[in-house]
Amino acid sequence: MKEQSEIDTAQIVKDFFLGEFSFDELKYDPENLPKGSRKELADVVVDYGNNVIAFQIKGRGNFDNGTSEDEWVKKYTDRAKNQLVDTYNQFQNNVVPPFVNGRGDRYELKKHGIYTGIIILYNERVQEYKKVLNCRRLNGIVHCFTYKDFKNCCEKLVLPKDIMEYIAYREKYVEMDRICKEEESDLVDRFLIEKYGTNNFDPDELYIFRWFLNNYKDKLENGNRKQYREIIEVFLELDRAGVDAFSRRLGKIISLAKKSINSDNSYIVPGNRELSSFLFLSADSGNKIIEYAEKMTYLFMYKTKPHKCLTVVAYFDEIETFRLDWVFIELPWEYDGKLEEMCNLPEFRKLWNPQLILTGKIENH
């Protein structure tokens, strides 16, 4: 039976890293070991992009009443570090089977990725503690949070990309193996101000993005689950600047579609071409809309040279119902004479030029 500490932490991870990429049922029998050699990975694992994040959760039980808080923290952080190292070694050495994620789908965890170990101290009496711990067996570092600090951190940062960037920021500014007296919330505020120039965000600013994400998830819940996972993973690349740019352009094509205006000049190209680009289209009808969106996506990708593109198209279908559809294509760029010729046609020559590069800054309202 799971402890309440594990249930609560797993729910936070599922809420902020999405159920598609969180796993908390991690017992298995390795194929490369004798029968009965049952193993278990960390309490919770997040697997998305190139990241593997392992959480080890420690709660204080009645049997710990004879120890001080400092003794308890030392004892259980040492134990958790050893368990995180063991999880890492299992990834490297065992034949780990697919596991069921937070949405009930079975997926294989990646064997090679950027491994991050996090300890969660589920103990309200712990106030000051070592937030960054030395662990030479795990790239030199393990992070430690109280449950309260981790929950507040996720609620302030919201997006997986910002959470992971904050963890890297924490490594630079928190002294290793020393008790940190600075409040976690103050560290998070400092990170946000340095990155975005403010830590005061409108709570409704992510509304359009969340609405789109939920619309997309509901629509594809029983559809192509592989592509569904790939596209959701695209959204996890976005920080607040990316979400801000996405939401503005999505709002624009929705407004244009409601006025039956065709539009093909809204887009996002990231500075890092390994990340996904976005093309936003509005159309005055749903006739052959997917064919149209695919054609425009190939042209856009050829001209701007990203490796991946998600195209969103807004329109009204034959029965006057408003719709959003999308096309996701992942394709390395290579010369194509036909596409080159099309890009040089007058109607396409000035399109998507100059490129709008996503710089990481929030756009002015």
Side-chain angles (χ1 to χ4, degrees):
M1 182 180 294
K2 287 185 178 293
E3 300 288 340
Q4 192 62 44
S5 58
E6 297 172 346
I7 294 170
D8 290 348
T9 304
Q11 187 60 52
I12 292 175
V13 171
K14 183 177 177 180
D15 288 344
F16 289 94
F17 288 92
L18 304 184
E20 289 77 7
F21 307 100
S22 63
F23 302 79
D24 62 0
E25 298 290 345
L26 295 164
K27 292 181 179 178
Y28 71 103
D29 295 301
E31 294 180 8
N32 58 324
L33 294 179
K35 283 189 177 181
S37 303
R38 196 151 180 79
K39 293 284 188 179
E40 183 176 14
L41 297 178
D43 293 319
V44 180
V45 168
V46 171
D47 180 307
Y48 84 94
N50 198 34
N51 295 291
V52 177
I53 312 161
F55 293 83
Q56 205 67 48
I57 303 149
K58 297 300 176 187
R60 179 155 189 157
N62 293 332
F63 52 84
D64 294 311
N65 284 342
T67 60
S68 69
E69 298 310 319
D70 289 345
E71 290 171 330
W72 181 88
V73 170
K74 176 68 168 63
K75 176 181 177 181
Y76 283 95
T77 52
D78 285 347
R79 184 177 296 180
K81 280 199 294 185
N82 289 332
Q83 290 170 316
L84 289 169
V85 170
D86 181 61
T87 293
Y88 176 78
N89 290 336
Q90 288 184 62
F91 271 116
Q92 303 306 308
N93 301 322
N94 290 349
V95 179
V96 178
F99 292 103
V100 175
N101 67 10
R103 282 180 60 83
D105 295 323
R106 191 173 293 274
Y107 284 100
E108 289 188 9
L109 301 177
K110 67 175 64 66
K111 191 168 185 178
H112 303 291
I114 300 171
Y115 185 88
T116 301
I118 296 178
I119 300 169
I120 302 295
L121 302 176
Y122 195 88
N123 183 347
E124 292 182 355
R125 288 179 287 182
V126 174
Q127 299 297 321
E128 295 179 350
Y129 59 98
K130 298 174 183 178
K131 298 178 184 288
V132 178
L133 306 175
N134 179 40
C135 186
R136 285 174 291 181
R137 295 171 293 169
L138 286 181
N139 301 318
I141 285 176
V142 165
H143 285 267
C144 185
F145 293 84
T146 62
Y147 171 79
K148 177 183 176 183
D149 281 347
F150 183 69
K151 183 173 184 288
N152 290 340
C153 169
C154 290
E155 288 173 347
K156 276 198 165 189
L157 296 170
V158 180
L159 301 170
K161 184 175 177 64
D162 277 346
I163 293 171
M164 295 308 296
E165 286 186 7
Y166 172 68
I167 287 173
Y169 177 90
R170 210 172 180 252
E171 293 177 9
K172 294 180 180 178
Y173 291 98
V174 176
E175 192 171 357
M176 187 181 295
D177 283 335
R178 294 289 181 91
I179 289 178
C180 180
K181 295 185 179 296
E182 188 170 3
E183 294 287 337
E184 195 75 40
S185 59
D186 293 337
L187 280 169
V188 173
D189 285 341
R190 182 145 54 95
F191 164 78
L192 290 170
I193 290 168
E194 288 186 18
K195 181 173 183 180
Y196 296 116
T198 181
N199 63 338
N200 185 22
F201 297 101
D202 182 345
D204 295 328
E205 71 173 4
L206 300 179
Y207 172 77
I208 293 178
F209 181 71
R210 287 192 180 116
W211 172 81
F212 174 82
L213 201 57
N214 288 329
N215 178 277
Y216 178 75
K217 290 169 74 173
D218 291 343
K219 182 176 178 180
L220 281 189
E221 187 163 352
N222 298 312
N224 185 336
R225 300 305 285 268
K226 182 177 183 297
Q227 188 185 60
Y228 164 82
R229 183 179 168 89
E230 289 174 345
I231 296 179
I232 293 295
E233 202 159 10
V234 166
F235 291 119
L236 297 193
E237 297 175 4
L238 297 176
D239 60 7
R240 282 183 179 270
V243 168
D244 181 72
F246 180 93
S247 299
R248 288 170 179 275
R249 287 157 180 77
L250 179 63
K252 177 182 176 181
I253 62 168
I254 289 173
S255 176
L256 291 172
K258 289 178 177 179
K259 298 174 184 175
S260 298
I261 298 174
N262 292 324
S263 171
D264 54 17
N265 62 357
S266 292
Y267 59 99
I268 300 170
V269 177
N272 179 358
R273 298 306 171 87
E274 297 299 319
L275 299 178
S276 301
S277 59
F278 296 86
L279 178 63
F280 301 84
L281 307 173
S282 64
D284 59 4
S285 73
N287 186 33
K288 296 184 178 180
I289 195 68
I290 298 300
E291 292 178 23
Y292 163 71
E294 287 179 348
K295 171 189 171 183
M296 297 302 289
T297 303
Y298 280 115
L299 281 169
F300 172 74
M301 292 181 71
Y302 187 79
K303 188 165 185 179
T304 59
K305 299 181 173 62
H307 292 177
K308 296 181 289 184
C309 180
L310 177 63
T311 295
V312 186
V313 55
Y315 64 98
F316 284 84
D317 62 19
E318 291 81 358
I319 58 174
E320 296 299 311
T321 300
F322 176 73
R323 297 275 309 252
L324 281 175
D325 273 314
W326 32 83
V327 172
F328 177 68
I329 295 175
E330 184 170 2
L331 188 69
W333 189 92
E334 61 180 27
Y335 179 80
D336 184 294
K338 185 175 180 181
L339 288 173
E340 185 77 28
E341 183 178 342
M342 291 182 70
C343 285
N344 285 319
L345 293 174
E347 60 265 36
F348 295 118
R349 190 176 299 136
K350 292 185 178 180
L351 201 57
W352 314 310
N353 185 41
Q355 295 175 13
L356 300 179
I357 304 297
L358 188 60
T359 62
K361 300 297 183 183
I362 301 290
E363 297 178 11
N364 293 326
H365 289 272

